[in-house]
Amino acid sequence: MHHKDFCSLLKKNGFDFCTGVPCSILSNIITYMSGSTEFTYIPATREDEAIGIAVGAYMGGKKPAVLMQNAGLGNSINALTSLVLLYQIPMLLIISWRGYQGKDAPEHLFMGKYMLDFLKVMKIPTEIIEKDILEEQVMRASRIMEEQKTPVALILKKNVIM
Amino acid sequence: VRRYDAVKAIVECLRDEYVIACNGMISRELFAIKDRPRNFYMLGSMGLASAIGLGASLANPTEKIVILAGDGNILMSLGTLATIGKASPKNLIHIVLDNECHESTGRQETSSSVTKLDIIAGSSGFANSTYADSTDTLKKILTKFLLLEGPSFIHVKVDKKRVEVPRVSLAPPEIKDRFMKKLLKR
């Protein structure tokens, strides 16, 4: 899928406030959001900061999405467990999957292997993005977020969104 | 200045403003002095009070948001001051009550005895940034900053003295729900 279509899909599902820390896999999406008048994109210094910003934006009436590399999931765990899950705050986490199948630079291999386990332990509903059913996946994520007041993670592998 | 008295002075200046209070003694003192639905008590997620305040201020440009953080909280995420400076919400006031220690865990010292937090904020893009050393000065500055375009920053040095106050007795989802109900006028 083209990154513009992915952003339109987010927009169509009501996501109007994005923040995060870049990853090469998310590069096109973040660059597009930053330049688009349809989105607010706030560049954060850390992924947990992005989550804090998203919590504030949610309480202020926005529907937030946080973009990060899976390395940033490590930085985010306390923000997720002692803020987002504790206060029951819905938000979309778009997490890129570096270290997929052990084929990547050494610093990505551990989180690449265990990312889904970390999400599972936190009981965060998670889906791996597949381009053929992406529209359905974003709709489902949005619905679960709102019905269950929970964060939902969409995992993005390399070369799925161009 | 006792921190309790500084929190009291801040509360006396507020009307309809929304407050994001950091974890630890600051939330507890605010809760004890004047609980109101417009207060968001952050119970965990140390370091994120500034980020939550930033998000809330960007989402609601017409409401004033006041962040109450301690030195421990702000030192944990100094980077957020840069993020605030760049995003530059005009409706945000960031107050730091600095006792140079982690009070609630046994007064272990922080590095804020040498950190000029107001200067860091001022050089990170805050529109107004200053220092207060008494409750009278704090009240004067806050009253002025509430009328100015921000983001604004007030650094207040406070004593290590502690006033015994209870924990925040609200359930976290309730803290969020009543805060949102006011902010979104639902």
Side-chain angles (χ1 to χ4, degrees), chain A:
Chain A
M1 182 181 267
H2 192 272
H3 63 272
K4 269 192 196 172
D5 297 327
F6 179 67
C7 290
S8 303
L9 188 56
L10 291 178
K11 190 80 198 171
K12 202 174 110 190
N13 282 275
F15 294 97
D16 52 0
F17 189 100
C18 302
T19 174
V21 178
C23 168
S24 54
I25 296 176
L26 301 166
S27 171
N28 286 340
I29 302 170
I30 293 179
T31 306
Y32 179 77
M33 283 177 172
S34 305
S36 162
T37 51
E38 288 180 60
F39 288 94
T40 299
Y41 180 84
I42 302 298
T45 58
R46 293 171 53 96
E47 296 80 0
D48 56 348
E49 178 189 284
I51 288 174
I53 294 170
V55 167
Y58 167 73
M59 293 198 299
K62 299 288 183 184
K63 187 167 174 180
V66 175
L67 293 95
M68 69 170 81
Q69 184 179 88
N70 55 350
L73 182 63
N75 280 349
S76 302
I77 288 181
N78 186 50
L80 289 168
T81 58
S82 77
L83 179 63
V84 179
L85 294 169
L86 182 69
Y87 288 80
Q88 298 170 6
I89 290 170
M91 67 174 60
L92 185 64
L93 307 170
I94 300 171
I95 305 173
S96 63
W97 196 346
R98 294 295 307 262
Y100 175 62
Q101 290 184 331
K103 286 177 233 151
D104 210 328
E107 67 273 25
H108 293 298
L109 299 184
F110 186 94
M111 192 50 96
K113 190 170 175 186
Y114 295 109
M115 166 184 61
L116 296 178
D117 294 326
F118 281 114
L119 288 162
K120 198 174 168 193
V121 167
M122 290 189 281
K123 297 188 172 62
I124 293 177
T126 301
E127 286 203 51
I128 297 161
I129 290 178
E130 290 177 46
K131 49 188 163 195
D132 298 337
I133 52 164
L134 181 49
E135 202 152 331
E136 201 183 308
Q137 289 179 310
V138 173
M139 273 173 63
R140 185 158 51 229
S142 171
R143 197 189 66 231
I144 294 172
M145 259 173 64
E146 284 171 359
E147 282 176 6
Q148 300 179 19
K149 301 279 177 235
T150 179
V152 174
L154 290 179
I155 308 300
L156 182 58
K157 288 187 232 168
K158 208 170 158 182
N159 298 331
V160 175
I161 293 174
M162 310 305 287

Side-chain angles (χ1 to χ4, degrees), chain B residues 117-170:
Chain B
L117 292 169
D118 51 334
I119 294 177
I120 295 177
S123 56
S124 301
F126 277 71
N128 317 291
S129 182
T130 191
Y131 177 87
D133 56 5
S134 73
T135 48
D136 281 347
T137 322
L138 171 59
K139 281 174 101 165
K140 259 181 223 153
I141 294 168
L142 180 55
T143 307
K144 188 174 109 189
F145 280 5
L146 283 168
L147 300 170
L148 290 179
E149 286 194 349
S152 302
F153 188 93
I154 311 174
H155 182 192
V156 193
K157 281 282 182 190
V158 295
D159 303 336
K160 291 182 170 64
K161 286 186 194 113
R162 178 169 178 168
V163 174
E164 283 310 319
V165 286
R167 287 179 176 274
V168 176
S169 57
L170 304 165

Side-chain angles (χ1 to χ4, degrees), chain A residues 43 45 49 52-53 56 60 82 87-88, chain B residues 41 43 45 55 60 80 83 172 176:
Chain A
T45 58
E49 178 189 284
I53 294 170
S82 77
Y87 288 80
Q88 298 170 6
Chain B
Y41 307 105
L43 302 179
S45 65
N60 287 276
T80 306
T83 307
K176 171 200 68 176

